[in-house]
Amino acid sequence: ESLVRTFTPFYFLVEPLDVLAVRGTAVIMNCSAQCETAPRIEWRKDGSFLNLVSDDRRQLLPDGSLLINSVVHSKHNKPDEGYYQCVATVDSLGTIVSRTAKLTVAGK
């Protein structure tokens, strides 16, 4: 039996793009990764992982995209504006990180 591991393709189909969002509206940061074992998708904002489990405003869509269903933006509170990366992990293979996408909120 050969011990040579065959190369398993693991790559992004879609990576997030810079987006200009409007306060109070929904925005989707697109991400989708391909592997024979379904990758686990997580999102980082400004370098820190988002905890989407108990988040009523942000959710992970089935394809791996991030939905922010109502962008929050005020003078003193800008939780959504920033730099986002999609992180895909397959335990046996490792982790791939998408390009960085900037979310900017448009002024009224």
Side-chain angles (χ1 to χ4, degrees):
E1 185 182 8
S2 169
L3 295 175
V4 175
R5 282 195 53 180
T6 57
F7 177 70
T8 304
F10 177 27
Y11 56 93
F12 286 107
L13 293 167
V14 178
E15 295 187 59
L17 298 173
D18 293 354
V19 64
L20 180 62
V22 177
R23 191 176 71 188
T25 63
V27 68
I28 291 179
M29 306 290 281
N30 290 303
C31 181
S32 181
Q34 175 68 41
C35 190
E36 60 187 25
T37 308
R40 180 172 74 252
I41 301 285
E42 296 170 287
W43 281 85
R44 285 200 309 228
K45 178 183 178 285
D46 300 328
S48 300
F49 282 102
L50 293 174
N51 177 10
L52 301 170
V53 176
S54 55
D55 197 319
D56 54 353
R57 275 194 323 110
R58 297 182 285 206
Q59 69 186 89
L60 188 64
L61 298 179
D63 70 345
S65 297
L66 176 68
L67 169 66
I68 305 172
N69 51 45
S70 181
V71 171
V72 170
H73 197 76
S74 66
K75 195 174 195 174
H76 302 293
N77 187 27
K78 302 176 169 63
D80 296 327
E81 199 164 67
Y83 294 90
Y84 289 79
Q85 285 174 303
C86 177
V87 180
T89 304
V90 174
D91 289 331
S92 59
L93 293 175
T95 297
I96 55 176
V97 180
S98 76
R99 67 180 295 278
T100 301
K102 184 180 183 189
L103 188 153
T104 308
V105 181
K108 274 281 181 257

